[in-house]
Every structure is written in C-alpha cells, then in structure tokens.
C-alpha cells in the first residue's frame, strides 16, 4: 500500500537509500539535497510502499511568487522522485 508521510528524522536512512538515474537527478535533485532543504516555504514528504521509503517530494508554498505562469497562491510540486528500483510499477502514479 502507498502511504504519504511528512518527513521526520526517522525517514532519513530510507530517503538516503532512494536512487535515481543520472538523467533524473537534474530534475529531482539528489536525496542529500532533498534532506538539507529546510526553507520555510518548502514542506518535505516521503512516499512509502509497504512501510519502506521508495520516494520523496516537496510542496513549495511560495511557488507562484517565483513564476509568472502560476495563478496566485498556487502550490509547486518539486523534487518528485521514485526509487529507480520501483519505477515502472505504478508507484509514482498511485502516489499522486
């Protein structure tokens, strides 16, 4: 079963184990970059499959202030990443 949880310190090792293909890192960033982003407008979440962390993403509450194409107060989905070993199995689709 897919679960979404707010990132806590207990998830750190699981997030660090998430691996992406090199071409995906330029869009989602690395797990290490995800873990150090503590901006006030960034809210970090993890994606679990059967109690194991298999991905992560950020919600940016200041997204619309940074991009003209957004409507006012729009949220941004950032750094959406699913572990390379879980890709192609519907985990990403099920989590959104």
């Amino acid at each position: 079963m897919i679960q979404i949880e707010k990132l806590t310190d207990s998830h750190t090792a699981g997030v660090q184990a998430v691996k992406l293909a090199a071409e995906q890192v330029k869009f989602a960033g690395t797990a290490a970059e995800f873990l150090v982003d503590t901006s006030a407008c960034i809210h970090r979440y993890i994606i679990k499959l059967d109690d194991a962390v298999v991905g992560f993403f950020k919600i940016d509450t200041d997204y619309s202030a940074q991009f003209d194409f957004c409507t006012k107060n729009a949220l941004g989905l950032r750094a959406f990443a699913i572990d390379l070993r879980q890709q192609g199995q519907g985990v990403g689709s099920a989590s959104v």
Side-chain angles (χ1 to χ4, degrees):
M1 176 169 74
I2 300 290
Q3 296 173 296
I4 306 292
E5 296 179 10
K6 198 164 182 85
L7 177 70
T8 66
D9 290 342
S10 68
H11 299 126
T12 300
V15 169
Q16 290 171 330
V18 172
K19 302 296 180 211
L20 300 176
E23 61 270 12
Q24 294 171 323
V25 171
K26 66 182 173 185
F27 298 105
T30 65
E33 292 167 335
F34 173 79
L35 289 169
V36 298
D37 189 351
T38 58
S39 303
C41 61
I42 298 294
H43 302 273
R44 299 172 296 167
Y45 295 88
I46 55 99
I47 302 165
K48 292 172 90 176
L49 175 64
D50 300 328
D51 293 321
V53 176
V54 296
F56 53 81
F57 65 92
K58 299 185 263 187
I59 298 294
D60 183 349
T61 58
D62 195 40
Y63 193 78
S64 61
Q66 301 170 47
F67 299 101
D68 294 337
F69 61 83
C70 294
T71 58
K72 187 177 179 180
N73 298 321
L75 299 175
L77 174 63
R78 294 185 172 261
F80 185 84
I82 301 295
D83 187 90
L84 189 59
R85 296 160 288 200
Q86 299 296 328
Q87 292 177 14
Q89 299 177 39
V91 174
S93 296
S95 63
V96 291

